[in-house]
Amino acid sequence: MEKDADGFYTPKADGTEEVKEEVKPIAEPPPESASTDLLSSTFEVTVTLADQQADPNSPLYSAKSFEELGLNPDLLKGIYALGFSKPSKIQERALPLLLANPPQNMIGQSQSGTGKTAAFVLTMLSRVDFSKNKTQAICLAPSRELARQIMSVVVAMGKFTPVQTEYAIKDNLPKDVTRVTAHIVVGTPGTMTDLLRRKVIDSSEIKVFVLDEADNMLDQGGLGEQTLRVKNMLPRNPAPQTILFSATFPDHVRTFANKFAPNANKIELQKEELSVEGIRQFYMDCRNEDHKYDILVSLYQLLTIGQSIIFCEHRHTADRIAQRMTAEGHKVASLHGAKNAAERDAIIDSFREGREKVLITTNVIARGIDILQVNMVVNYDLPLMNERGNQHSNDSRPDIETYIHRIGRTGRFGRKGISINFVHDRRTWQQMEEIEKVLGKKIIRIETNDLDEMEEKMKKALK
Ligand SMILES: Nc1ncnc2c1ncn2[C@@H]1O[C@H](COP(=O)(O)OP(=O)(O)OP(=O)(O)O)[C@@H](O)[C@H]1O
């Protein structure tokens, strides 16, 4: 395919073959992997193009193979080396729009674990001019863990290109650094703001600006202010291509998102499709707080069949549970924002490598973290609105978006997974009912006193 005068990909009369011939000997797609459910999944997205005249259902806006996208052959090699045989649904719809010229903004929504990262990483890598030692693309994420994971995708996909990368995360660069010239910088908003303000990063050539977990990054009262500060330090004319991705875009953020990324092409999910089919949701009716701990311990065998993540409301709860379980001879780790940068990196790396099977944490890693072996998520405490961002209100409504992201740490890319909510009183019960109502999916009860039944139900759900 080649781009027409308007910047859209159109099939060439004779050129399609030409591209294939040029590319195939260097880069062959790998055979489709075992988990191809997602590649053939049927969830619906609504595509709205900034150009109202264009038909979003035209094949021009969807790519059935990576080859059709006219990518640099070195990038195609990187994609295939990662084992990606063909684009996932969101990649199929988003990539032709993201790569078209002139560049257009994008607000893209697709469920957890469906391959959004590759879509924006490929866009950044495609737009960088490697011959210039200047920062040309920046990407912001809400946690250092996620920034590091995104960077690993940039490095892996860009393996056959000369791309240079740098982090904008706490304690990573020497304090007296004066210049960063890496093509792509990935980080968190506070450190990115600092590097831009001190002109360590020269923003003049930045042409792609990505927000992963965009609804979280734009949430006022949370990270929104810092993210806006970053945007205000970027070129205005022309402004960089702004790309917002998330599995959730609550209405109150959507309005701001539309201003932040004006005239964007949009990909939206239907409300009832917010969480993936592969995640089976359960709950356990506990007697009180202490009983929650006992149940968690009794689940240990099941939690360690694969890997699991236990979400708590407070850092101190995560630490306390981890200490108690460790003292009782179980192998678990805890991770939260009160640990220092080096500790956090070591803990998540060790969990990623499978050295610990159970990770007890807070909302800090509720979003984006992609560890395929995680087949169970436990909401030890349900997520509440009052934990959002910097808010410390008494708002005890359930935080539906965070719930969707938390359970989305399992069931990645068409895999099966289980989530279990612990409820222990009337209030938590009501909160869970509210979640069930909004998501329109049944949350199934598991008896807390029948371990065999529990095991059987869970193993069945994972089959
Ligand atoms: N085309 C593809 N073929 C095979 N695997 C893929 C493809 N695209 C992505 N993946 C894999 O799918 C997994 C999930 O992708 P990714 O982390 O980008 O999801 P996401 O949509 O960003 O999820 P979240 O909303 O939780 O951040 C990753 O392990 C990734 O390597």
Side-chain angles (χ1 to χ4, degrees):
M1 278 203 207
E2 76 176 7
K3 293 166 206 166
D4 66 15
D6 295 325
F8 292 118
Y9 287 92
T10 46
K12 259 189 183 182
D14 59 346
T16 316
E17 288 307 305
E18 200 181 288
V19 173
K20 281 188 179 159
E21 272 168 24
E22 187 183 281
V23 159
K24 275 214 160 149
I26 345 170
E28 284 281 352
E32 282 179 25
S33 68
S35 95
T36 48
D37 293 13
L38 189 73
L39 295 176
S40 56
S41 84
T42 55
F43 71 87
E44 285 308 319
V45 290
T46 309
V47 181
T48 316
L49 300 177
D51 175 359
Q52 312 268 308
Q53 305 297 310
D55 171 12
N57 295 318
S58 146
L60 291 179
Y61 306 113
S62 101
K64 295 284 178 210
S65 74
F66 286 113
E67 280 147 79
E68 290 169 45
L69 292 164
L71 294 164
N72 168 341
D74 289 337
L75 279 178
L76 207 51
K77 261 167 83 179
I79 294 169
Y80 293 153
L82 274 171
F84 296 3
S85 52
K86 58 180 190 175
S88 67
K89 183 103 171 185
I90 179 70
Q91 292 161 3
E92 175 188 326
R93 301 308 303 258
L95 278 167
L97 296 169
L98 285 168
L99 299 174
N101 281 312
Q104 278 186 292
N105 294 343
M106 157 79 72
I107 301 177
Q109 183 185 21
S110 143
Q111 294 142 330
S112 55
T114 52
K116 294 183 284 294
T117 317
F120 65 74
V121 166
L122 263 179
T123 311
M124 291 197 288
L125 284 165
S126 299
R127 297 222 181 262
V128 164
D129 175 350
F130 298 116
S131 68
K132 279 189 190 165
N133 283 338
K134 288 254 184 177
T135 300
Q136 296 162 57
I138 61 171
C139 171
L140 292 180
S143 68
R144 69 180 290 115
E145 286 75 13
L146 186 52
R148 292 176 73 233
Q149 179 182 296
I150 293 168
M151 185 64 98
S152 72
V153 179
V154 174
V155 170
M157 274 195 178
K159 187 170 143 192
F160 302 99
T161 71
V163 69
Q164 291 162 26
T165 59
E166 188 55 84
Y167 280 120
I169 54 176
K170 212 165 158 230
D171 297 343
N172 193 71
L173 286 164
K175 290 256 173 305
D176 55 357
V177 63
T178 52
R179 202 31 133 206
V180 163
T181 54
H183 302 124
I184 298 179
V185 181
V186 182
T188 47
T191 310
M192 190 73 83
T193 308
D194 180 54
L195 295 177
L196 285 164
R197 188 183 288 138
R198 290 196 288 124
K199 308 242 182 299
V200 175
I201 297 176
D202 168 10
S203 67
S204 63
E205 304 255 347
I206 293 177
K207 42 193 173 183
V208 187
F209 178 31
V210 178
L211 298 185
D212 193 14
E213 308 300 342
D215 57 327
N216 191 200
M217 305 300 296
L218 295 177
D219 206 353
Q220 275 116 347
L223 295 169
E225 250 169 65
Q226 293 184 41
T227 306
L228 194 58
R229 239 174 262 150
V230 170
K231 182 184 166 72
N232 288 339
M233 286 187 277
L234 301 183
R236 283 183 190 211
N237 210 358
Q241 178 181 22
T242 303
I243 302 172
L244 314 184
F245 267 119
S246 182
T248 52
F249 276 101
D251 293 341
H252 71 280
V253 179
R254 240 176 225 287
T255 320
F256 187 36
N258 289 332
K259 275 200 208 145
F260 198 91
N263 304 319
N265 292 314
K266 290 178 193 146
I267 300 180
E268 283 166 72
L269 274 178
Q270 315 296 330
K271 266 226 162 56
E272 53 286 355
E273 309 225 38
L274 282 171
S275 66
V276 287
E277 281 303 320
I279 309 171
R280 294 287 302 278
Q281 301 178 56
F282 295 101
Y283 77 92
M284 288 183 163
D285 203 353
C286 307
R287 286 192 294 274
N288 49 41
E289 276 287 345
D290 260 358
H291 192 216
K292 286 191 347 187
Y293 176 79
D294 298 338
I295 295 296
L296 186 67
V297 172
S298 70
L299 280 176
Y300 185 79
Q301 292 298 333
L302 290 173
L303 296 174
T304 53
I305 294 177
Q307 281 183 289
S308 41
I309 303 183
I310 321 296
F311 286 103
C312 305
E313 180 176 354
H314 300 293
R315 297 159 175 187
H316 61 80
T317 320
D319 277 341
R320 194 168 36 80
I321 298 175
Q323 277 156 11
R324 258 178 96 176
M325 286 183 81
T326 308
E328 289 169 29
H330 300 301
K331 200 165 179 319
V332 301
S334 78
L335 173 62
H336 50 70
K339 307 220 179 228
N340 69 39
E343 273 178 301
R344 283 172 67 165
D345 293 354
I347 294 164
I348 193 79
D349 291 350
S350 177
F351 185 66
R352 227 179 250 290
E353 284 156 23
R355 282 202 287 272
E356 281 82 32
K357 298 209 155 186
V358 180
L359 184 65
I360 306 174
T361 185
T362 58
N363 281 343
V364 70
I365 60 153
R367 286 173 174 258
I369 295 302
D370 178 58
I371 300 176
L372 302 179
Q373 303 85 318
V374 172
N375 54 12
M376 220 182 279
V377 165
V378 176
N379 283 309
Y380 192 88
D381 300 315
L382 289 172
L384 302 182
M385 292 302 284
N386 63 13
E387 297 159 50
R388 270 206 181 169
N390 300 325
Q391 292 171 18
H392 290 290
S393 63
N394 287 325
D395 191 345
S396 62
R397 284 174 302 156
D399 179 349
I400 311 276
E401 281 77 32
T402 302
Y403 180 84
I404 293 168
H405 289 277
R406 279 185 180 184
I407 69 169
R409 294 319 96 216
T410 183
R412 311 285 298 164
F413 211 73
R415 289 171 179 75
K416 296 269 191 312
I418 287 177
S419 72
I420 309 174
N421 301 320
F422 284 2
V423 292
H424 71 285
D425 58 13
R426 195 184 154 83
R427 194 177 43 96
T428 47
W429 178 268
Q430 283 168 346
Q431 287 157 349
M432 191 182 68
E433 273 200 319
E434 169 81 16
I435 294 173
E436 196 173 33
K437 203 168 85 201
V438 175
L439 296 187
K441 289 233 172 90
K442 195 98 199 99
I443 305 183
I444 299 157
R445 181 192 173 102
I446 318 184
E447 287 301 328
T448 52
N449 53 7
D450 187 346
L451 278 178
D452 290 340
E453 187 217 327
M454 188 156 80
E455 190 167 338
E456 201 184 309
K457 266 201 177 144
M458 289 182 179
K459 286 193 170 152
K460 209 165 133 209
L462 287 176
K463 267 210 191 107

